[in-house]
Amino acid sequence: MGVNEKKRLSPELREKQIVSEAIAFFADQGFGGQTRELAKRIGITQPLLYRYFASKDALIERVYQDVFVGRWKEDWQAILTERAIPLRERLTRVYREYARVIDNREWVRILILAGMKGESLNRRYLDQVRDKLIEPLCREMRHEAGLPSPEDVPLSSQELDIAWSFHGTFIYRGIRKWIYNVPVEGDADAAVDNAISVFLDGFPKTLPRILSGSAAG
């Protein structure tokens, strides 16, 4: 019995199998992993794999769609910018859910390995984070502190950097767990709440100084 005759799946199931195995494979090998090895791991021939995905780039794009786009919640930005809800509650709702989404071996490893290899999908994902979470967060912090909106005073690199550092707190927990193989202690929701408290305690006090330095410059 040939390698591609061992399991005769429907086209839909075969495609799902290839994508699922590709996600696990690239999380282990990075995108430098060869499709020949991936096909062998699945138990199919390389030509069969290319019947479903015309190129390696097409398969990588599908992995990106499943791992990053498919797990992104479009209502995160809407929640974050809903000013009828206290800011702490908004941050808690968004980042508790975000932390659960990214607490995933494949998500963390693909993001980091793609970044190390300079893959464009890493930049695409981070651009989405900037547009839909980081910049809105900076805007909300300005509003919370009673400071000029970005339309009046453009966001500074310092503000963006602080917001990125806050956001990166949750990704770093995943890096410790899935890259460094260091046990992550404590309740995940409590960790989110603590990070939010530190952020909300510090950012409003820092913002006026940043803006006054920008105005002076």
Side-chain angles (χ1 to χ4, degrees), residues 94-110:
V94 170
Y95 276 100
R96 280 189 177 188
E97 187 167 346
Y98 184 79
R100 285 192 288 270
V101 166
I102 68 173
D103 186 15
N104 175 275
R105 180 180 185 275
E106 287 77 19
W107 191 99
V108 172
R109 290 186 61 83
I110 287 175

Side-chain angles (χ1 to χ4, degrees), residues 28-44:
D28 288 336
Q29 305 292 327
F31 289 118
Q34 300 298 308
T35 55
R36 183 182 298 106
E37 291 301 316
L38 171 59
K40 182 179 179 181
R41 174 168 168 163
I42 297 171
I44 62 174

Side-chain angles (χ1 to χ4, degrees), residues 59-78:
L59 179 56
I60 288 173
E61 177 62 25
R62 176 61 180 275
V63 166
Y64 173 75
Q65 292 294 324
D66 276 34
V67 173
F68 296 103
V69 177
R71 300 178 191 185
W72 183 273
K73 307 298 183 183
E74 288 298 332
D75 65 350
W76 284 338
Q77 183 177 357

Side-chain angles (χ1 to χ4, degrees), residues 2-187:
V3 67
N4 62 338
E5 296 175 345
K6 291 180 180 179
K7 292 183 180 180
R8 293 194 176 279
L9 302 178
S10 69
E12 294 79 10
L13 289 177
R14 178 65 75 191
E15 181 176 321
K16 288 181 179 179
Q17 180 197 39
I18 291 171
V19 173
S20 177
E21 291 288 349
I23 290 171
F25 177 75
F26 289 133
D28 288 336
Q29 305 292 327
F31 289 118
Q34 300 298 308
T35 55
R36 183 182 298 106
E37 291 301 316
L38 171 59
K40 182 179 179 181
R41 174 168 168 163
I42 297 171
I44 62 174
T45 63
Q46 192 178 28
L48 178 59
L49 187 152
Y50 282 124
R51 282 173 54 189
Y52 288 88
F53 296 94
S55 66
K56 183 178 178 182
D57 285 344
L59 179 56
I60 288 173
E61 177 62 25
R62 176 61 180 275
V63 166
Y64 173 75
Q65 292 294 324
D66 276 34
V67 173
F68 296 103
V69 177
R71 300 178 191 185
W72 183 273
K73 307 298 183 183
E74 288 298 332
D75 65 350
W76 284 338
Q77 183 177 357
I79 293 170
L80 186 59
T81 57
E82 179 49 73
R83 290 176 179 169
I85 302 171
L87 182 57
R88 181 182 294 273
E89 182 180 337
R90 285 181 265 160
L91 288 172
T92 300
R93 287 171 59 182
V94 170
Y95 276 100
R96 280 189 177 188
E97 187 167 346
Y98 184 79
R100 285 192 288 270
V101 166
I102 68 173
D103 186 15
N104 175 275
R105 180 180 185 275
E106 287 77 19
W107 191 99
V108 172
R109 290 186 61 83
I110 287 175
L111 182 74
I112 298 304
L113 292 173
M116 291 172 63
K117 289 293 184 181
E119 297 287 345
S120 63
L121 68 81
N122 182 279
R123 171 50 52 194
R124 286 164 61 191
Y125 178 75
L126 293 178
D127 285 346
Q128 177 173 264
V129 171
R130 176 182 173 126
D131 292 343
K132 297 188 175 183
L133 289 180
I134 299 300
E135 290 186 355
L137 174 57
C138 290
R139 181 182 297 274
E140 294 309 304
M141 292 307 300
R142 289 269 193 98
H143 181 267
E144 192 78 1
L147 295 169
S149 73
E151 286 75 22
D152 297 323
V153 179
L155 293 174
S156 69
S157 59
Q158 292 183 66
E159 289 174 85
L160 293 167
D161 190 55
I162 293 171
W164 273 116
S165 295
F166 165 70
H167 182 87
T169 298
F170 311 105
I171 297 176
Y172 184 63
R173 280 178 63 86
I175 291 173
R176 285 160 54 202
K177 184 175 181 179
W178 301 115
I179 302 293
Y180 298 154
N181 297 313
V182 174
V184 176
E185 305 291 344
D187 176 79

